[in-house]
Amino acid sequence: MMLEIKDLRAKIGEKEIIKGLNLNLEKGKVHAIMGPNGAGKSTLSKTIVGHYEVEVTGGDILFKGESIVDMEPEERALKGIFMSFQNPVEVPGVTNAYFLRTAVNAKREYEGKEPLNAAEFLRMAREYAKLLGMKPEMLNRSLNVGFSGGEKKRNEILQMLMLDPDLIILDEIDSGLDIDALKAVSEGINKIKSPEKTFLIITHYSRILEYVKPDYIHILKDGKVVKTGGYELVKKLEAEGYKAIEEEQ
Amino acid sequence: MRELVLSKMDLNSILNLSTKDKTKATAAVALSHLGLPSKKTEHYRYFDITQLLSKNLNLYQPVAQKADQNEKLVIEDGAIASFPSDLKIDVKDEIDIDKEHFDQIYYINHIITPNVITIEIDKDIELEVVHRFSKDGVILPYRLGIAVKNGAKVTLYEDFEDKNIKESLIFYGWDISLEKDSYFELVRVQNELKRSYSMVASHFVKADESSEFSIKSFDIGEGKICHNLKVDLLKDAKCDAKHLVYTDKEAVRANVIKINHKGKNAKTEQNARHVLKDKSRAIFDALIKVEHSGIGASAHQNNKSILLNDKAYMISKPQLEIYIDELEASHGSTTGQIDPEEVFYLRTRGINEEEAKKMIVLGFMREIIEEVKDEEKKDEIMRRFEEIYNIDLIE
């Protein structure tokens, strides 16, 4: 099992949002989480990566069998957890290339590997940027500063490819993307798919799931997983909405 | 050397230090209207000028010495120590000065400075100026004047060195006259790490028709240093002002800047960044004034500050004073901690918290450093900020 979430409870401020959530993410599988607004989808992803606003009040999260709830965010990242942000922040004055190289070499150091030199890094970064339809000069721009919504999402996927994580959480990666950007992002995701990787795709829409086929669909409501099924659940949701799922409960 | 305690002197006794020449007489008249600086003087409200002026210090008057020829202009304790052979440099008793400067020290400095080092430039050049200080326990007054002739383009790199002097107070400043269509860029780096001297520097720039004045100032480290700058923009003149300040320990660093749009279609673009550590204090008091005659003005100013400690203190006063109805103008100021969301983002990519914060702060500073066109100078300035920030961020 890549990730086991056991009876997880978490709050932001005084508000409990995750209320006894159980979820297992299998190695090599693509899991999608869907749910109405306010169900706790984004809080769940923030909890897994260790956001400073989230306080875990109960339960546990095991990554490859090891509890991560007390780990710093960077430790979780170095162990192989990656989340693409719904709204990636802008960091003025820090070039995309410098940031990426620092991140890649931090991971390589953690894994006991030699750091990438500038030439090796650039060759790799340019190759992935091309795959994603990104102009090479975007590597020299300040991190996410002045990027369009689509460029920011492509840049998230570029980071994912460069860091080669094991658990990949994509938080609304498809929101605000036009069809070309969606295809490019999906291509990036499919490039890294392997029996060693696990995906957790958080989305409101079925669009991305047509390009990255999920093995499991989990419906989240009021801080809990209320239904798990296959791709057919997406079709049911599209036809009948969340109300139909609620009525089945 | 005679002992001089400025705080114990009244206006008349300071005026009596003045000789009869035109510059000092003009300064004396203006100072008599302004009065002496005090705790109530608006632009010194947070700088405590009275504490500086109350020190028992000896008045050191720069002594002309035999100057060497060198690729740099070196001013040692207020006198020319070396200069480039092709530089038109002189020492004069009289120069034209501003009659409406807001700063009293501008006039006091002119009154107690024996003469002014003047430079005349009529061609495109780059010039490096180094100020060296070696005297303990003195008030050292000196001034420089520069006249940039029609159409000339000048970049001046200004730097400061000291021999770990103690308790000296330095008054210096530039009177800069830009003729029509000229361009003058001043890149000033003041890297004071030992708190060995205090300084009040008062400058005046007159930018004539279609000329451009550009200042990029980099204040680093400790010390009690105030730069008072007044710029008059005539028709179609431009001012591009960028300021980066990094203070630590018990530093007090002030930039007081007043830019007057006197002619039509003048433009000002002013951006400042401050990073404050420990118990340091920084003052950014910037006014752009658009006078009745300044129609068609474009005036933008902005300051962003990061406080690295609870005890660091930022005084940010961006101001617009506008006397016309139609213009393009904006101003803004933000002061806060490092954005935790930025730190978190970098940490989720495996970068530890300390490194993430350093990266963000240096990136914040880099935005201003990138404005320096010369790559070597840019790298040198970046290195100085990195040194004090104790991180190697060379790509």
Side-chain angles (χ1 to χ4, degrees):
Chain A
M1 201 62 68
M2 185 67 79
L3 195 82
E4 297 162 75
I5 302 178
K6 296 178 177 175
D7 195 25
L8 184 70
R9 289 183 175 274
K11 61 179 188 176
I12 294 181
E14 289 307 308
K15 190 174 180 188
E16 186 174 54
I17 297 170
I18 304 296
K19 302 169 181 173
L21 187 144
N22 290 289
L23 180 66
N24 288 334
L25 304 183
E26 289 177 29
K27 194 173 168 185
K29 301 293 182 189
V30 176
H31 296 253
I33 286 193
M34 302 183 80
N37 290 330
K41 301 187 296 295
S42 288
T43 302
L44 174 62
S45 60
K46 281 181 170 181
T47 311
I48 297 169
V49 294
H51 193 277
Y52 57 92
E53 282 180 346
V54 180
E55 187 188 342
V56 174
T57 53
D60 207 352
I61 305 172
L62 306 180
F63 176 64
K64 296 179 185 172
E66 184 182 13
S67 175
I68 58 168
V69 289
D70 293 327
M71 282 182 194
E72 299 294 340
E74 56 269 34
E75 199 178 348
R76 301 181 201 205
L78 294 170
K79 284 185 179 292
I81 299 175
F82 176 90
M83 179 179 83
S84 82
F85 282 60
Q86 203 179 125
N87 298 303
V89 293
E90 299 185 356
V91 188
V94 176
T95 66
N96 211 6
Y98 178 71
F99 153 71
L100 262 175
R101 196 173 149 205
T102 306
V104 167
N105 282 338
K107 184 153 191 225
R108 289 179 70 87
E109 187 184 350
Y110 181 79
E111 291 169 347
K113 296 177 185 167
E114 286 293 308
L116 286 184
N117 65 35
E120 290 167 333
F121 165 79
L122 275 177
R123 195 168 52 244
M124 192 173 159
R126 282 179 182 151
E127 185 188 318
Y128 285 138
K130 192 176 172 189
L131 174 81
L132 294 167
M134 293 170 71
K135 292 175 185 159
E137 52 266 31
M138 291 194 73
L139 292 169
N140 298 325
R141 285 173 53 186
S142 286
L143 178 57
N144 292 325
V145 177
F147 286 23
S148 68
E151 285 171 337
K152 282 182 180 172
K153 295 294 171 75
R154 288 176 206 232
N155 204 37
E156 293 291 287
I157 298 302
L158 175 66
Q159 292 168 37
M160 175 195 80
L161 292 169
M162 296 290 292
L163 290 168
D164 192 26
D166 297 328
L167 171 62
I168 296 152
I169 303 163
L170 304 170
D171 189 3
E172 297 198 18
I173 191 73
D174 49 347
S175 67
L177 291 188
D178 62 29
I179 194 74
D180 290 340
L182 184 63
K183 278 184 184 171
V185 162
S186 303
E187 204 170 324
I189 295 167
N190 286 323
K191 167 108 182 157
I192 204 174
K193 266 176 78 177
S194 82
E196 303 301 314
K197 311 284 185 199
T198 299
F199 283 85
L200 179 61
I201 300 175
I202 294 168
T203 183
H204 273 295
Y205 311 103
S206 57
R207 284 199 315 169
I208 193 162
L209 303 181
E210 287 168 18
Y211 295 97
V212 187
K213 292 281 182 218
D215 298 293
Y216 299 100
I217 303 286
H218 308 279
I219 308 296
L220 199 66
K221 185 174 172 284
D222 197 23
K224 287 181 184 173
V225 174
V226 293
K227 194 169 181 68
T228 293
Y231 190 63
E232 71 283 353
L233 256 183
V234 178
K235 298 293 169 197
K236 188 176 171 68
L237 276 177
E238 272 182 353
E240 301 169 30
Y242 289 112
K243 195 120 185 126
I245 306 282
E246 283 172 32
E247 283 164 4
E248 282 179 15
Q249 303 304 306
Chain B
M1 282 194 289
R2 57 185 289 195
E3 192 176 79
L4 192 67
V5 184
L6 284 169
S7 66
K8 290 183 185 166
M9 296 174 76
D10 60 16
L11 188 57
N12 280 334
S13 49
I14 290 175
L15 296 180
N16 286 339
L17 293 170
S18 154
T19 56
K20 299 287 181 208
D21 71 56
K22 194 177 117 195
T23 300
K24 291 177 174 39
T26 306
V29 170
L31 182 63
S32 65
H33 287 116
L34 284 175
L36 296 176
S38 71
K39 283 180 183 170
K40 290 181 182 169
T41 304
E42 184 59 29
H43 66 279
Y44 287 125
R45 184 184 280 191
Y46 303 99
F47 187 73
D48 198 2
I49 187 78
T50 51
Q51 183 256 336
L52 281 186
L53 301 182
S54 64
K55 289 179 178 174
N56 288 308
L57 299 169
N58 293 314
L59 177 63
Y60 179 84
Q61 301 208 295
V63 183
Q65 50 185 293
K66 188 177 176 299
D68 299 325
Q69 298 211 332
N70 189 306
E71 59 186 25
K72 293 179 184 178
L73 168 59
V74 178
I75 314 282
E76 203 162 301
D77 296 321
I80 303 167
S82 69
F83 63 95
S85 57
D86 58 346
L87 192 68
K88 287 184 189 170
I89 190 163
D90 202 352
V91 179
K92 292 182 178 171
D93 295 335
E94 295 187 2
I95 62 159
D96 286 334
I97 64 167
D98 183 25
K99 292 174 183 164
E100 297 172 338
H101 207 288
F102 62 91
D103 180 39
Q104 297 91 334
I105 300 292
Y106 174 79
Y107 293 116
I108 292 173
N109 191 7
H110 269 294
I111 289 168
I112 64 176
T113 295
N115 38 45
V116 180
I117 298 165
T118 62
I119 301 164
E120 195 177 292
I121 300 175
D122 55 8
K123 58 183 179 184
D124 298 354
I125 62 161
E126 282 189 4
L127 176 65
E128 289 190 46
V129 179
V130 180
H131 303 262
R132 286 190 186 140
F133 309 121
S134 65
K135 305 292 177 197
D136 286 330
V138 298
I139 291 181
L140 167 62
Y142 68 104
R143 291 204 63 86
L144 301 106
I146 190 161
V148 183
K149 298 295 180 185
N150 276 8
K153 290 183 172 49
V154 179
T155 297
L156 193 149
Y157 297 100
E158 189 177 33
D159 207 342
F160 298 81
E161 296 172 359
D162 69 272
K163 292 180 179 169
N164 203 14
I165 56 173
K166 292 186 188 82
E167 292 296 325
S168 283
L169 172 60
I170 293 155
F171 292 160
Y172 101 105
W174 290 93
D175 284 283
I176 299 167
S177 160
L178 307 182
E179 288 190 1
K180 193 177 173 187
D181 297 322
S182 63
Y183 171 82
F184 182 78
E185 181 187 30
L186 175 64
V187 181
R188 186 183 72 221
V189 183
Q190 196 154 13
N191 191 0
E192 172 53 28
L193 304 178
K194 300 182 287 281
R195 198 157 49 102
S196 58
Y197 62 84
S198 302
M199 174 183 280
V200 180
S202 297
H203 317 282
F204 172 62
V205 178
K206 184 184 173 195
D208 213 331
E209 190 177 330
S210 302
S211 65
E212 184 172 349
F213 172 63
S214 170
I215 179 169
K216 292 164 181 93
S217 67
F218 300 94
D219 295 298
I220 310 168
E222 281 200 82
K224 189 165 184 178
I225 297 169
C226 176
H227 284 272
N228 296 309
L229 168 66
K230 180 173 174 249
V231 181
D232 284 350
L233 299 176
L234 304 190
K235 187 183 167 204
D236 294 322
K238 288 181 191 165
C239 178
D240 175 34
K242 303 285 188 293
H243 315 279
L244 175 57
V245 180
Y246 176 89
T247 56
D248 64 0
K249 298 172 188 159
E250 295 186 355
V252 182
R253 293 290 189 105
N255 278 297
V256 182
I257 301 144
K258 298 190 191 300
I259 301 167
N260 292 330
H261 285 228
K262 288 179 170 287
K264 290 179 185 174
N265 303 324
K267 289 183 170 56
T268 295
E269 189 73 43
Q270 185 170 35
N271 277 307
R273 296 279 187 278
H274 292 79
V275 179
L276 281 71
K277 196 180 165 193
D278 305 326
K279 293 179 182 173
S280 66
R281 167 183 291 212
I283 299 149
F284 178 70
D285 182 352
L287 169 73
I288 302 177
K289 182 178 173 185
V290 181
E291 300 185 2
H292 292 288
S293 53
I295 56 174
S298 167
H300 300 280
Q301 62 175 185
N302 186 276
N303 177 42
K304 292 181 183 172
S305 306
I306 291 178
L307 305 179
L308 299 176
N309 300 75
D310 291 343
K311 290 185 176 168
Y313 192 58
M314 179 72 214
I315 296 106
S316 180
K317 292 171 66 184
Q319 304 145 80
L320 294 173
E321 189 177 321
I322 292 166
Y323 293 92
I324 59 171
D325 292 331
E326 287 186 26
L327 79 163
E328 205 184 279
S330 66
H331 73 153
S333 175
T334 59
T335 300
Q337 315 280 328
I338 300 173
D339 183 351
E341 208 55 37
E342 287 181 33
V343 178
F344 176 68
Y345 185 75
L346 300 189
R347 293 179 75 189
T348 63
R349 302 307 186 240
I351 298 167
N352 69 48
E353 186 175 6
E354 190 187 358
E355 185 75 13
K357 285 180 175 174
K358 283 177 178 173
M359 206 184 263
I360 291 163
V361 171
L362 283 170
F364 177 81
M365 299 197 284
R366 189 191 293 269
E367 281 195 297
I368 299 290
I369 298 170
E370 286 292 334
E371 296 283 334
V372 176
K373 292 178 201 126
D374 184 280
E375 291 295 328
E376 253 180 59
K377 295 286 179 193
K378 189 191 295 183
D379 291 346
E380 161 71 19
I381 292 167
M382 193 70 213
R383 197 167 65 244
R384 290 205 196 182
F385 278 95
E386 285 161 5
E387 271 170 15
I388 193 165
Y389 209 65
N390 193 26
I391 180 177
D392 177 15
L393 198 71
I394 292 175
E395 290 172 37

